[in-house]
Amino acid sequence: MTQPGQKILAVVLAAGQGTRLRSSLPKVLHPAAGRPMLDWVLRAARSAGCEDIAVVIGHGAEKVREVFSGEEVTWVLQEEQKGTGHALAQAESAVSEPGVMLVLSGDVPLVSAATMKQLLAAAQMGWAAMAVADLDDPGSLGRVVTGPDGKLERIVEAAESSPEELAIGRVNAGLYALPTPGIFEFLRALKPDNVKGELYLTDALNAAAQQGKPIRLVELADPTESWGVNDRADLGRAHRALLHRHAEGLMQVGVSILDPESTTIEAAVSVGPDTVVHPGASLLGNTSIGEGCTLEQGVWLRDVSVGDGTRIAPYSVLEGADIAARCQIGPFARLRPGAVVAEGAKVGNFVEIKNSELGKGVKVNHLAYIGDAVVGEGSNIGAGVVTCNYDGRQKSPTRIGRRVFVGSDTMLVAPLDIGDEAMTAAGSVVSKDVPAGSLAVERSKQRNIANWARRFRRRKGK
Ligand code: UD1
Ligand code: CA
């Protein structure tokens, strides 16, 4: 039995192919709410205090190891996937100390740390413990048959259930606390005499129950924790449930999410209090949002950091950008990786910024492309300005000083340096450096031909 202070051990079964997902990606790598399913299980196990974690892998083992290369776990290879009982049996040598171990499923991503602790505590009061839930739609999960005394009689797989058994709403969540080495004796006796021809871990529990070993049923307070993922519909449900959970947590710390159903805020995203998130927003990856921000309808952000009090207007698309406090972005702004926007700057509609720094209070309000540029504090970039950063072979930088006024429709042919407080005349193609305080004009002199337009119209009869 686990003693206080003894290390908590978990074995995660993650070797299955998950054929019903019909995917080239190993099942446990499929993301839900922005994290691979297996990641969810490992995080919960760590926060339950598990120090030793063994993960049984097989199908796509190399890919799984690669994705989790930074993780301190013991990898156990199940070369042929002969069922959950066979999978756990492979971990026997990784489980050295006698006691109780958690056995978790890599495709049951909603499991909480609290449930794991409950399972461990319940196993102390019997021989083993398993999590069960009562579901309205138990689907393909194994059904838990209990006797009149409420004790486990047996677990039966959905595919092998009689109509009466299928009508049972009580399911096996695939989360257990099992005695070691005790359980391994039962695993050795397993036979593949079932429709799948597999060695079922559940049959080991059935055999133990039949021998009168007390197996505690831990009823999940939150039945969604039992949602196993076997197909894409299950995956979609788990994804939404995990998003919902994260949104609830954010709302509790003071974030307004106007329409949680239409909003996607992935698990690693942080949002400060008094920020308001409008419908249809997607906040993805390692995005962090400050306090008191407004993220309006349909904004899409991945790996973006946003300072306090910034407003991002509808349908702006930002990736890998760093926005300081009190900025105004959008509507319809496009910020690409390496866009760094200092405090109080404004980036307006149909403006694209790539790998560029905009200083404090800079304004780029309409229809511009700024790439590989540095724009000094207080400068104004007019409508239609383009940094011509690419000559077909290489990218070149544009440096714009402080309080510069770049007139509308200026083409800035890089490499180019524009000094502080300089100006460019609208419509100029500027290809030579502009000294501080100067005006750059590059356009032909205007001629007005008297009455030309009038004569033209008359001739055409218009
Ligand atoms: C299993 C349980 C079922 C339970 C459900 C909970 C058995 C026989 N059935 O069914 O009672 O309701 O989980 O979600 O245990 N795995 C391996 N190696 C294998 C086979 C599976 O590591 O050879 C792993 C899978 O990667 C998966 C987990 O074990 O993470 C469960 O396997 P799966 O085939 O999905 O079992 P279910 O049919 O869902
Ligand atoms: Ca499953």
Side-chain angles (χ1 to χ4, degrees), residues 13-17 27-28 56 78 80-87 105-108 140-143 155-157 171-174 176 196 198-202 226-230:
L13 308 183
Q17 182 176 3
K27 181 183 193 177
V28 293
V56 183
Q78 182 197 21
E80 247 187 287
Q81 288 82 59
K82 298 184 189 168
T84 48
H86 180 256
S105 300
D107 65 349
V108 183
S140 65
L141 296 178
R143 307 297 202 267
I155 308 156
V156 55
E157 293 311 295
V171 298
N172 166 25
Y176 318 89
K196 281 193 179 170
E198 290 186 351
L199 302 172
Y200 287 171
L201 171 54
T202 45
S226 71
W227 288 2
V229 173
N230 290 332

Side-chain angles (χ1 to χ4, degrees), residues 273-302:
D274 285 327
T275 284
V276 182
V277 184
H278 289 235
S282 291
L283 312 181
L284 313 175
N286 288 316
T287 290
S288 76
I289 310 289
E291 297 183 11
C293 295
T294 307
L295 306 178
E296 295 183 343
Q297 174 103 16
V299 301
W300 188 98
L301 277 61
R302 183 187 289 286

Side-chain angles (χ1 to χ4, degrees), residues 152-440:
L152 174 71
E153 249 172 32
R154 64 195 194 96
I155 308 156
V156 55
E157 293 311 295
E160 284 147 32
S161 294
S162 64
E164 296 74 43
E165 287 166 336
L166 265 188
I168 297 173
R170 175 154 283 205
V171 298
N172 166 25
L175 309 166
Y176 318 89
L178 303 175
T180 164
I183 188 68
F184 293 104
E185 298 299 321
F186 286 94
L187 293 179
R188 271 188 278 280
L190 286 177
K191 299 246 160 25
D193 48 6
N194 48 60
V195 286
K196 281 193 179 170
E198 290 186 351
L199 302 172
Y200 287 171
L201 171 54
T202 45
D203 282 346
L205 290 169
N206 291 343
Q210 238 167 28
Q211 285 186 18
K213 305 263 191 225
I215 296 170
R216 304 276 164 181
L217 303 184
V218 172
E219 208 176 314
L220 292 169
D222 173 3
T224 65
E225 284 191 42
S226 71
W227 288 2
V229 173
N230 290 332
D231 58 27
R232 302 267 179 172
D234 294 337
L235 184 61
R237 258 192 300 275
H239 170 73
R240 293 280 1 150
L242 286 163
L243 290 180
H244 180 75
R245 212 189 256 178
H246 187 46
E248 292 279 309
L250 290 172
M251 291 192 269
Q252 271 170 25
V253 298
V255 178
S256 278
I257 302 173
L258 301 186
D259 182 20
E261 292 304 308
S262 72
T263 305
T264 299
I265 305 180
E266 286 186 348
V269 175
S270 64
V271 187
D274 285 327
T275 284
V276 182
V277 184
H278 289 235
S282 291
L283 312 181
L284 313 175
N286 288 316
T287 290
S288 76
I289 310 289
E291 297 183 11
C293 295
T294 307
L295 306 178
E296 295 183 343
Q297 174 103 16
V299 301
W300 188 98
L301 277 61
R302 183 187 289 286
D303 302 333
V304 170
S305 79
V306 177
D308 298 344
T310 283
R311 170 176 172 239
I312 305 183
Y315 305 109
S316 295
V317 175
L318 285 70
E319 183 164 16
D322 194 339
I323 318 293
R326 287 169 286 285
C327 291
Q328 287 219 43
I329 309 292
F332 299 105
R334 168 93 169 101
L335 274 70
R336 292 168 50 201
V340 178
V341 179
E343 195 174 338
K346 285 171 89 174
V347 176
N349 35 214
F350 308 108
V351 170
E352 175 178 347
I353 312 273
K354 184 217 73 169
N355 185 36
S356 293
E357 287 174 31
L358 305 188
K360 281 189 188 166
V362 163
K363 289 182 188 148
V364 193
N365 280 339
H366 331 269
L367 300 156
Y369 170 64
I370 304 295
D372 304 311
V374 176
V375 182
E377 199 177 318
S379 287
N380 185 93
I381 310 290
V385 169
V386 172
T387 54
C388 310
N389 59 332
Y390 186 52
D391 61 7
R393 284 166 181 269
Q394 63 175 36
K395 302 270 170 74
S396 301
T398 302
R399 277 176 298 272
I400 298 172
R402 299 165 169 230
R403 289 183 298 285
V404 169
F405 181 91
V406 179
S408 293
D409 207 23
T410 304
M411 297 294 113
L412 301 167
V413 182
L416 190 67
D417 212 317
I418 300 181
D420 292 347
E421 299 186 333
M423 300 175 89
T424 72
S428 297
V429 177
V430 179
S431 55
K432 295 194 192 96
D433 289 353
V434 184
S438 313
L439 168 71

